Amino acid sequence: MAPFEQLTEDDLAQAWPLLSPEDRVAGFRMLRPEEAADFFLTRSTYSQVTILQGLSPNERQLWLRLLPPDDATDVIQEAPAELRSELLLCLDVKTRNEVTGLLAYAEDDAGGLMSPRFARLRPEMSVDEAITYLRRQVREKPETMNYAYVLDREQHLLGVASLRELLASNGTKRVEEIMQRDVLVATERTDQEEVARLIAQHDLAAIPVVDEEMHMKGIITVDDILDVFNEEATEDIQKLGGMEALDVPYMQTPVLPLVKKRVGWLMVLFVGGSLTATAMSRFEDAIAQAVILTVFVPLIIASGGNSGSQATTLVIRAMALGEVKLPDWWQVVRREFKSGVLLGLGLGAVGFLRVAVWEWLFDSYGPHYLRLAFTVSISLLGVVIWGTLAGSMLPFLLRRLGFDPASASAPFVATIVDVFGVVMYFTVAQLLLAGSLL
Amino acid sequence: MAPFEQLTEDDLAQAWPLLSPEDRVAGFRMLRPEEAADFFLTRSTYSQVTILQGLSPNERQLWLRLLPPDDATDVIQEAPAELRSELLLCLDVKTRNEVTGLLAYAEDDAGGLMSPRFARLRPEMSVDEAITYLRRQVREKPETMNYAYVLDREQHLLGVASLRELLASNGTKRVEEIMQRDVLVATERTDQEEVARLIAQHDLAAIPVVDEEMHMKGIITVDDILDVFNEEATEDIQKLGGMEALDVPYMQTPVLPLVKKRVGWLMVLFVGGSLTATAMSRFEDAIAQAVILTVFVPLIIASGGNSGSQATTLVIRAMALGEVKLPDWWQVVRREFKSGVLLGLGLGAVGFLRVAVWEWLFDSYGPHYLRLAFTVSISLLGVVIWGTLAGSMLPFLLRRLGFDPASASAPFVATIVDVFGVVMYFTVAQLLLAGSLL
């Protein structure tokens, strides 16, 4: 790119993650007006806030008014507290009232995602009237038009007609004849993950949100749900990695808050892990007699941790997708026990070979190498079975206790398995090696 | 539920994951016809195949013809090889030709997701003509009608008009006056993750797929993308857990294939992990002199593994979301180095306290406990820094080499860090404890 060439939307989007807040605003101001609007609308809420913070109050008003009310609500929720009331005042009165209403909902509830702007019809209209009426509404309402909601005079939801069905129907039919009465709805308090599942499973473009008396409150559209999917998957993945979920994209989180999100779990795991030191101290005599035993400790506990990590990952993801529910725990135990036995036999066999081959090649383990090989492979079998069981059951236990099952991270499971692995290995050793190495 | 009561769609959906293939088909046959259709259409491709396999050829034809061509293609791709040609023959000639065309694309390419049924307009139509024309098309085409694509006689894509814009426009305007010419497109070979990103970022309801000469081939709709999001997140999460991604939901994967997906990585990690045994053997003399050293080995290597797991998870997810790209590696190194130093100092301090407090309470470590405490805490600092750096760089390295960065699973990183941790710990011990414990 030659210097002073016109900056394009794509250039800026490419460089965005690497720019400081000041450079972002400067770059944004260099865009041509029509590109700037598109650029602003396709940014994440977080980036929109960054841009707005850097602009003058007049510019802020211009850009904030571009957003539909549900997105404006997200921006105001994300903005620093001191900026919020000023941003609210930037909106026109009608939108401000809608946004103030939406701000009352928690961000993760259906109410926090919904837009109050949707297409309405009356049941007694003819299809032709409905289409004409929609053509008028669409000029005023920026939100989706895939479905028109049929409401009575008290705003009760009677049914829904997709634009496709309206267009495909004979123009003289009445709306109530063609509308679908059996409507899938969310309430204001439905969790956003549940809404996402409903929309995905039934391939909807939007879902209506109602209160307990079926009064229509707004709609949630599929494009808001795409963001929910990504957010929820990111949260789960970060928790699985053994940390708190970040609220802000990785590259935009400064180092100190990043460390804060990580240090908590690291400390918890460290304290849990220090039990391995306590456990090993109890076997100090055995270690002193047979130092060779200790060299396999990291390998054995890592194998338990790895198989536990696999099991917990599988179960947590299946739970998030709704494939596995609490009552299925016994079936999961049976599956994981069988898997654990097979995996443990496999690793046990390889462990046996490892000891035998090293003895044959390097003469490493002395005359009792066969007993040592059995100790290693039996411990591997036990620790892998325990790892898969602990890893698969921990998410159930956490959910049962009301915690997020995704907190059963791979490191968490590994720590639990480590302590058990140490005790198991030295106990097997004392049984098998008594009178020889010990 | 009383026996012999009518089975509902919801009952069956609830029980579904727990049923055998035979019971699924039996349950499906018990649904009332209107519920059965809805049930069939909202199942996953995998479940649709299960149902079709259990039905008679006549029933199969009935149900398969319910599916739009892109979904029928997915079913045929997923079906066992011996069933495929029979399923193809169930389709009517027009759909069969469309499906045969779609089968040529890989499932993960844009071509494999697209539907050949979309609404077309000519540029010279008036808006009123266009709406009337669409009302006729919509009766024949089951796919989305959010956008109408404006094509010339050779099927080149000239522009796109959303149904909203058409409805909102003056009826006498010409389509080419209101259509948007600057259309975002995918090509047949665009990866589905990239398509998902385009659709999500620009809040599209559908994206057109074209060949190199801008001939219109089909569209990909947002509901297909929801499935892609979930699939891709599931794949990444399972890989992060240290295994191959399953192709089929967890509860529907029989134990043997499940074990097969897990055993490969477990073996690789085992062989890698057995390097810790080799490394520790080199320090056998030190261990024999100071058995107390060994009790901290699991704790120290686990801390490195945990901090590595956090770092690799953060980077892999940021890569999947497009927040971090290959050229950003140096910025990530700097961030993770700083984070690693802070986290390492924190854990090092706690490790120091752990040794000091235990000495004070239980007299565990003898007169040289201070040196031991320094050894533990310096090793912790080193291993945590190494863990965060290795964990954050491994995904870059894998991507650079053309592998999937998500293969840098938590267990993989932990294994790399373990070997380093053992060497680091005993080396520090030999330096600090020479002349005292050693």
Side-chain angles (χ1 to χ4, degrees), chain A residues 146 242 250 253 331 335-336, chain B residues 18 146 250 253 310 335-336:
Chain A
N146 288 292
Y250 170 71
T253 311
Q331 225 203 335
R335 293 168 63 85
E336 287 303 314
Chain B
L18 303 174
N146 288 291
Y250 170 70
T253 311
Q310 293 183 335
R335 293 168 63 85
E336 288 303 315

Side-chain angles (χ1 to χ4, degrees), chain B residues 241-256:
Chain B
M243 54 182 297
E244 289 172 56
L246 304 182
D247 314 315
V248 168
Y250 170 70
M251 290 296 268
Q252 275 134 52
T253 311
V255 170
L256 270 182

